[in-house]
Amino acid sequence: MKQPPPQPHESAIALTRRGFLGALAGSAATATVGAAPAPPSRSNPYEYKVDHLFKTDPKHLLYDTHGTLRLPVSDGRRVAVGPENQIWVSAGKTLLIFTSGLEKLREIQALDVIRALAVDADGTVYVAVKDHVEVFDPQGRRREPWNIPAANTWFTGIAVAEKDVFAADARNRVVLRYDKSGRLLGRLGEKDTSRKIPGLIVPSPFLDVEVAPDGLLRVTNPGRHLVETYTFDGSLVGSWGKTSMGVEGFCGCCNPINIAMLSDGRCITCEKGIPRVKRYSAKGEFEGVVVGPESFPEGLRTGAVFNKWDGSMAGVDAATDRQGRVLVLDQASNTLRIMVPKKPAATT
Amino acid sequence: MRETARTAAMAGLGVLVGGIALKTGASHTVWQIDPYKCSWCGLCATACVLQPSAVKCVQIYPMCGYCKLCTGYFEPEPNALNTAAENQLCPTGAIKRRALEDPYFEYSIEEELCIGCAKCVKGCTLFGNGSFHLQIRHDRCVNCNECSIAVVCPAQAISRVPADQPYKFKSREHHA
Ligand code: SF4
Ligand code: SF4
Ligand code: SF4
């Protein structure tokens, strides 16, 4: 299927794999300082060629940028949509609340860096910080934080339903189900052969959960490159996702990192490594790209901007609003983009 | 399991550190790569006065995802996720893949085979957890007055460091 990439300067270096292995026998022990080597070629015979993966075929691009907002507070990380289509963004320890037209309304301060947020229909917001959940009422007043028993919790996702709150704990590879007072009701996603649940694989701290319009949960299984569907009581009812570096799949150690649901059940996925935001049908068929890797800063493509390992710097997050827009938060440039579906080409 | 592996790796390195003083003479400094600056250009394999290079890939086990699809091990679009040579991106087959409990795999570097080409480092850093990175190994490096790699390194990632702290390993703590 695939041919090894050509190595144009291999002969100049004379280090083909076989040749190298032969030459190596016993060489390490006797390695000596040679004469000063000729100035090395700047070309790289060992180049790992992936540039093509960072470009999107225009035919896959489904959305246009409708507006952008550079966040007024640094460390923008997560985005959610609240009542009246308000846009809620977390930036460090701050919650910023905007109108759907990106006018700032107010802000709320959390006690710690916010890793995920979910806004209830009445404007109550559930904020996951590393190891506990803070709750703010619709007026922005802090309620009693939930008492989460110490278990090395590392929350990276949160979702709210009519009566339940689901918090994704990446470190323990589990989604915890709570009632709205913070009482633990159940655990989802853990390996359980009797229930045919293979278990969540979370190689790095990215695990997300959403409540879908069909009344079921969608949970990322990033180490398996899947989006899984669970009932609230933890039965696994399906999954989709394909391991591939191609645009239709997920690649790297852990993708997708974050998801969002459209009102018709389609799913928006965010990826790191090859930073991209894509749309899948409700059945998990690849439909196209919301924002391609070429639209993100170089630093996001190399991870160079994130010297973080705390689960808060995922690179990209997304939410959807009732107009079907996709709100994309690019952490590298601390910018929120509003993406709208492309208009069909006019026919004459 | 991971801690054990890490301890084993670090113990090996600790032994190496002990020999550095012999080579550093009066300078008390040695050359080292800052893994957070390296841009994986490949010159570490070819610019060192030693062949094979004194630069080797290092695996930091606590940072590794133990992924089935390791992007530091496999070619970008492998035919299959197995150890067949055509699926491996390492030009010398220096990375060993060992199945652990499903679905995890351990990846380790056979240093005698590694030429420091950074191909795996790029794959691991771009798409994975970034646990693979390059270091100048001081049991091999002859501590040139002017490191030939540092002269050409496009990322200016190589500088002199105190001989009693000769390695700049990546760590989870750095990220936190
Ligand atoms: S020469 Fe510099 S940038 Fe290139 S591989 Fe070596 S340390 Fe990295
Ligand atoms: S890909 Fe290059 S740097 Fe990595 S183990 Fe193989 S020879 Fe060493
Ligand atoms: S100091 Fe000399 S031996 Fe050591 S890595 Fe640089 S060029 Fe190689």
Side-chain angles (χ1 to χ4, degrees):
Chain A
M1 184 173 73
K2 174 183 67 67
Q3 293 298 315
Q7 306 271 323
H9 303 283
E10 214 159 47
S11 56
I13 303 286
L15 276 176
T16 61
R17 181 169 178 156
R18 188 176 298 168
F20 178 82
L21 290 172
L24 250 186
S27 65
T30 56
T32 53
V33 186
S41 161
R42 292 274 173 166
S43 61
N44 179 5
Y46 309 108
E47 191 174 351
Y48 180 74
K49 292 188 174 117
V50 287
D51 287 356
H52 62 290
L53 297 171
F54 290 86
K55 296 189 185 92
T56 308
D57 185 331
K59 75 174 188 240
H60 291 313
L61 287 168
L62 302 178
Y63 286 75
D64 286 321
T65 302
H66 178 68
T68 59
L69 173 73
R70 176 113 188 157
L71 297 178
V73 178
S74 60
D75 287 342
R77 292 163 186 212
R78 303 305 291 263
V79 57
V81 172
E84 297 164 24
N85 251 0
Q86 287 171 352
I87 300 169
W88 291 59
V89 174
S90 80
K93 299 177 182 177
T94 306
L95 278 174
L96 300 160
I97 299 118
F98 301 93
T99 65
S100 62
L102 293 178
E103 283 162 32
K104 190 179 161 195
L105 294 170
R106 61 196 171 107
E107 62 181 60
I108 298 172
Q109 290 298 321
L111 292 176
D112 205 341
V113 173
I114 299 165
R115 286 165 167 76
L117 74 151
V119 192
D120 208 347
D122 68 353
T124 302
V125 61
Y126 298 86
V127 170
V129 298
K130 187 173 177 183
D131 55 4
H132 69 278
V133 174
E134 290 187 31
V135 186
F136 296 89
D137 71 14
Q139 285 71 46
R141 291 175 300 227
R142 179 182 288 105
R143 291 194 191 146
E144 273 297 295
W146 293 358
N147 181 24
I148 311 272
N152 280 329
T153 306
W154 196 327
F155 288 134
T156 54
I158 194 162
V160 58
E162 195 183 345
K163 293 181 181 160
D164 305 87
V165 177
F166 297 88
D169 176 354
R171 179 172 282 162
N172 293 306
R173 290 172 271 165
V174 63
V175 175
L176 301 173
R177 179 186 180 187
Y178 294 96
D179 70 14
K180 288 188 174 173
S181 69
R183 191 165 59 95
L184 184 64
L185 301 177
R187 303 168 68 89
L188 297 88
E190 290 170 306
K191 184 173 180 175
D192 184 345
T193 43
S194 69
R195 296 178 82 185
K196 296 199 170 85
I197 298 174
L200 300 171
I201 303 297
V202 189
S204 62
F206 305 105
L207 181 66
D208 202 12
V209 56
E210 289 290 332
V211 178
D214 58 9
L216 300 170
L217 295 173
R218 299 295 184 276
V219 179
T220 59
N221 195 340
R224 297 187 195 271
H225 298 140
L226 295 175
V227 175
E228 297 181 335
T229 300
Y230 289 88
T231 62
F232 283 12
D233 65 4
S235 296
L236 175 62
V237 294
S239 66
W240 56 264
K242 175 184 167 194
T243 297
S244 167
M245 284 213 161
V247 70
E248 74 287 355
F250 303 118
C251 69
C253 75
C254 14
N255 273 311
I257 50 169
N258 292 317
I259 51 171
M261 302 304 300
L262 284 158
S263 58
D264 59 4
R266 287 184 290 182
C267 186
I268 304 295
T269 60
C270 302
E271 291 168 65
K272 71 182 180 81
I274 303 173
R276 54 192 180 191
V277 181
K278 301 185 306 200
R279 193 178 78 198
Y280 288 83
S281 75
K283 291 180 185 163
E285 297 137 336
F286 170 71
E287 292 188 339
V289 173
V290 181
V291 183
E294 61 283 328
S295 300
F296 290 107
E298 172 73 21
L300 191 55
R301 298 201 289 274
T302 62
V305 291
F306 304 130
N307 282 331
K308 296 272 182 180
W309 196 254
D310 62 359
S312 56
M313 298 302 276
V316 186
D317 191 26
T320 64
D321 69 10
R322 287 161 200 83
Q323 302 166 42
R325 306 185 306 177
V326 180
L327 315 171
V328 174
L329 183 59
D330 160 5
Q331 298 176 350
S333 61
N334 208 34
T335 300
L336 182 73
R337 300 175 201 210
I338 297 186
M339 307 302 296
V340 295
K342 280 183 186 294
K343 291 197 173 72
T347 50
T348 52
Chain B
M1 173 270 290
R2 295 182 189 194
E3 283 306 310
T4 311
R6 181 179 78 116
T7 308
M10 292 303 174
L13 295 170
V15 170
L16 303 177
V17 173
I20 294 167
L22 297 173
K23 292 193 218 167
T24 54
S27 69
H28 300 299
T29 60
V30 292
W31 295 100
Q32 194 46 271
I33 298 167
D34 181 340
Y36 294 100
K37 288 185 180 168
C38 170
S39 57
W40 332 294
C41 74
L43 286 174
C44 273
T46 52
C48 181
V49 297
L50 301 178
Q51 287 297 318
S53 172
V55 175
K56 305 290 172 192
C57 179
V58 172
Q59 163 71 303
I60 300 295
Y61 292 96
M63 289 178 67
C64 178
Y66 292 79
C67 307
K68 185 174 183 181
L69 170 56
C70 170
T71 49
Y73 180 83
F74 287 110
E75 283 282 4
E77 285 149 285
N79 294 324
L81 298 184
N82 61 37
T83 57
E86 73 266 20
N87 296 324
Q88 297 181 39
L89 62 69
C90 177
T92 67
I95 309 175
K96 301 301 164 207
R97 183 181 197 248
R98 185 167 73 95
L100 304 174
E101 182 193 345
D102 179 62
Y104 298 109
F105 287 80
E106 182 188 76
Y107 298 89
S108 53
I109 308 297
E110 196 169 316
E111 215 168 81
E112 293 299 310
L113 296 181
C114 176
I115 56 169
C117 75
K119 205 172 170 188
C120 63
V121 179
K122 183 174 178 181
C124 177
T125 311
L126 278 180
F127 306 119
N129 281 5
S131 57
F132 283 161
H133 60 94
L134 296 182
Q135 289 285 277
I136 295 172
R137 301 308 301 261
H138 296 295
D139 56 332
R140 298 167 191 270
C141 172
V142 293
N143 200 19
C144 307
N145 286 336
E146 188 165 46
C147 171
S148 318
I149 315 172
V151 170
V152 294
C153 173
Q156 291 163 348
I158 303 177
S159 62
R160 284 202 167 272
V161 298
D164 59 353
Q165 292 170 12
Y167 289 100
K168 287 189 169 184
F169 295 120
K170 278 187 161 184
S171 70
R172 295 186 74 133
E173 290 69 34
H174 175 99
H175 291 269

